[in-house]
Amino acid sequence: MKATATAPANIAFIKYWGKADPTLRIPLNSSISMNLSGAQTMTTVEFLDALDTDEVRILDGVFSEKETDRVVHGLDRIRERVGRDTYARVVTKNTFPKGAGSAASASGFAALALAGFAAAGTTLSEKELTTFARLGSGSACRSIPDGYVMWEKGTSSETSSAYSLYPHDYWDLRDVLVIVDSRMKKVSTSEGMETIQTSPLLVKRLAAIPERLARCKRALEEKNLTLLGEVSEEDCLDMHAVMQSQNPPLLYWNDATREIMEAVRRWRLEGLRVYFTIDAGPNVHLICEGNDEKAVAQKLRDIPAVESVIINKPAGGARLTDQHLF
Ligand code: DP6
């Protein structure tokens, strides 16, 4: 059987940085995110008796050997779970606009998990699917459920899973992704997390997380942008403080990143309700409400360092489609 799934990337308000179990990708802390409408992966999987190896292909790009291996390991986990040893053909495509510069690992492993099990003829619960997506890339588990998503760190592979806090149409937020450098990041998140224990700030970060998670949940419950924006900026800056104090230090920002962070603070003083958050790279995500989307985009036109802007609405989770890629 052939199956195709689409899955969104996501942006975390409370970030995942560091693993308690690197093999099982059990995180050091729980996290909360929103799925993104403008950055999706589509993947078709077919298990075929005629194949004598897995065939993995990405349209409009090339997979490195490392990336191919990661997909093959994902297929191995599906084969093991369903008790089958047939090889598979996998074709995948990202709808990330050119220059998004972000690796599509969250959307990629979410789409692979959903399409892979469907192609193997096995229906998993959403919870179990999130645990399989997590084994490919931690943040991928947050790309399976709808809209606003909580990833509970858990204590085992079965309990480290994600669920929807609110559907995508619950609150009309925007994630305005500001591209200031479209090249791939130099240090991947997986590599970057390996040295997290070298940061003297990690202990403080982990102690602060439970209260931040509670504040973030309250912000979502109340649809309170000020509260959500403040806690998101706080957690983003804290994660980057940990990154920057690791040995060797991880410095993901550039001049344009800093310029935009400062501009956001200035715009807020002028009355525009917008906040920033940044993942493991120089590009900046601006969080605002739908009715301020145009004002934020207009402001960004005055900053020459901005290469491009991608406007994301809150999106649904991973889903099956019958539009196959082969
Ligand atoms: C900074 O999920 O990409 O974006 O589990 O090693 O694949 P691996 O890491 P990944 O890490 C994402 C880190 C982050 C913060 C976040 O999205 O929570």
Side-chain angles (χ1 to χ4, degrees):
M1 200 161 59
K2 187 187 284 187
T4 302
T6 60
N10 65 73
I11 181 69
F13 302 125
I14 306 298
K15 311 280 191 192
Y16 149 53
W17 190 250
K19 298 174 174 85
D21 183 327
T23 313
L24 294 178
R25 285 191 151 78
I26 295 173
L28 285 171
N29 63 274
S30 301
S31 52
I32 296 178
S33 63
M34 175 180 102
N35 287 332
L36 303 179
S37 64
Q40 306 255 339
T41 297
M42 183 185 247
T43 301
T44 301
V45 180
E46 186 170 27
F47 290 95
L48 288 160
D49 289 325
L51 295 178
D52 49 19
T53 184
D54 289 317
E55 286 180 13
V56 179
R57 199 154 62 89
I58 180 161
L59 303 178
D60 309 321
V62 197
F63 265 148
S64 66
E65 213 178 301
K66 223 169 158 181
E67 285 167 322
T68 305
D69 281 355
R70 230 167 133 178
V71 175
V72 169
H73 284 135
L75 292 169
D76 287 341
R77 285 189 292 271
I78 294 170
R79 280 187 281 258
E80 199 188 318
R81 170 67 173 74
V82 303
R84 222 177 133 157
D85 55 11
T86 320
Y87 289 110
R89 178 168 295 149
V90 178
V91 176
T92 190
K93 179 177 104 175
N94 290 323
T95 65
F96 287 70
K98 278 202 174 26
S102 49
S105 66
S107 52
F109 282 100
L112 180 69
L114 182 58
F117 279 105
T122 304
T123 311
L124 299 189
S125 67
E126 180 181 275
K127 181 179 176 186
E128 199 180 350
L129 213 49
T130 70
T131 65
F132 271 93
R134 188 204 77 234
L135 290 164
S137 179
S139 57
C141 70
R142 298 189 311 236
S143 289
I144 299 271
D146 186 13
Y148 297 86
V149 178
M150 169 95 198
W151 172 14
E152 294 280 2
K153 65 177 172 165
T155 51
S156 63
S157 199
E158 292 71 38
T159 55
S160 186
S161 60
Y163 58 89
S164 179
L165 290 168
Y166 298 101
H168 63 281
D169 57 0
Y170 167 73
W171 186 7
D172 191 31
L173 283 186
R174 290 293 179 277
D175 170 81
V176 179
L177 171 53
V178 188
I179 309 294
V180 295
D181 184 349
S182 53
R183 290 166 301 181
M184 284 288 287
K185 56 192 165 224
K186 289 188 201 77
V187 181
S188 75
T189 45
S190 300
E191 284 167 324
M193 286 185 209
E194 279 170 19
T195 52
I196 191 173
Q197 298 292 347
T198 59
S199 167
L201 304 182
L202 176 62
V203 177
K204 262 190 113 175
R205 168 169 174 73
L206 294 178
I209 292 269
E211 185 279 327
R212 269 185 218 152
L213 287 166
R215 211 167 353 133
C216 184
K217 277 191 190 164
R218 186 155 61 84
L220 291 174
E221 192 190 331
E222 295 173 359
K223 298 186 186 171
N224 182 335
L225 183 70
T226 308
L227 200 60
L228 180 70
E230 283 175 3
V231 76
S232 300
E233 286 192 359
E234 185 181 317
D235 191 65
C236 158
L237 292 172
D238 186 38
M239 176 183 76
H240 281 273
V242 169
M243 290 166 158
Q244 289 166 15
S245 60
Q246 288 180 211
N247 184 12
L250 292 168
L251 309 171
Y252 285 114
W253 301 345
N254 63 23
D255 287 349
T257 314
R258 282 180 282 269
E259 186 182 349
I260 290 163
M261 287 192 280
E262 292 195 0
V264 166
R265 296 211 159 151
R266 214 171 47 239
W267 299 339
R268 269 210 303 272
L269 291 175
E270 294 165 15
L272 186 58
R273 301 181 66 224
V274 58
Y275 296 83
F276 65 78
T277 185
I278 305 160
D279 281 341
N283 301 322
V284 187
H285 294 253
L286 302 188
I287 309 297
C288 65
E289 286 186 312
N291 54 10
D292 282 326
E293 170 196 317
K294 290 211 162 59
V296 170
Q298 181 61 42
K299 290 274 191 204
L300 288 165
R301 282 190 204 115
D302 298 337
I303 302 184
V306 174
E307 285 182 16
S308 59
V309 168
I310 299 155
I311 296 181
N312 294 288
K313 295 182 178 184
R319 61 192 62 170
L320 291 168
T321 159
D322 49 17
Q323 286 175 289
H324 305 301
L325 288 173
F326 61 87

